[in-house]
Amino acid sequence: MKNECLRLIGNSEQENSKDLLIEKMDKLVLDMQEVAADMEYLGGFNGEMAKHSKELMGASKVLLSWIDGIENKKDVTDV
C-alpha cells in the first residue's frame, strides 16, 4: 500500500495517477459495501449495527459519486 501511495503522489503522468486513484476508490467502495452487508446480517437486520450498516452503505454511494466526478473531469486538478 505504501508503494502505491508513493506511485500515486510521485507519478508525473496525471492520467495514470488518476486511473490508479479511481482503481483504489473502486476497491474501497466494494469493501465498504461488503462490510455493510456483513454488519447488517450480523446485526440481525435491525438495531444499532444495522443502522451503522446503512450509514456505511450510504457513504459508499457518496464515494461512487466522487469517482464519477473524477472520471468525468479531463484535468484531475479540477476535482
Side-chain angles (χ1 to χ4, degrees):
M1 181 67 125
K2 184 177 179 182
N3 290 340
E4 286 184 27
C5 291
L6 291 175
R7 281 193 331 190
L8 178 63
I9 295 167
N11 193 335
S12 61
E13 298 178 31
Q14 284 188 343
E15 196 60 38
N16 290 338
S17 294
K18 179 179 161 182
D19 292 343
L20 179 59
L21 177 62
I22 290 169
E23 180 182 317
K24 292 170 75 173
M25 292 172 76
D26 280 333
K27 182 184 179 314
L28 180 57
V29 166
L30 294 175
D31 289 344
M32 292 169 75
Q33 291 174 344
E34 184 177 319
V35 169
D38 290 346
M39 288 174 66
E40 187 171 29
Y41 178 77
L42 292 172
F45 301 97
N46 57 32
E48 194 71 18
M49 195 176 308
K51 176 185 170 196
H52 293 314
S53 165
K54 288 176 180 40
E55 293 168 345
L56 186 56
M57 188 63 75
S60 75
K61 291 177 183 177
V62 171
L63 187 52
L64 281 172
S65 73
W66 294 352
I67 293 168
D68 185 54
I70 293 168
E71 287 177 329
N72 291 317
K73 294 284 184 184
K74 290 183 180 171
D75 183 356
V76 73
T77 60
D78 290 341
V79 178

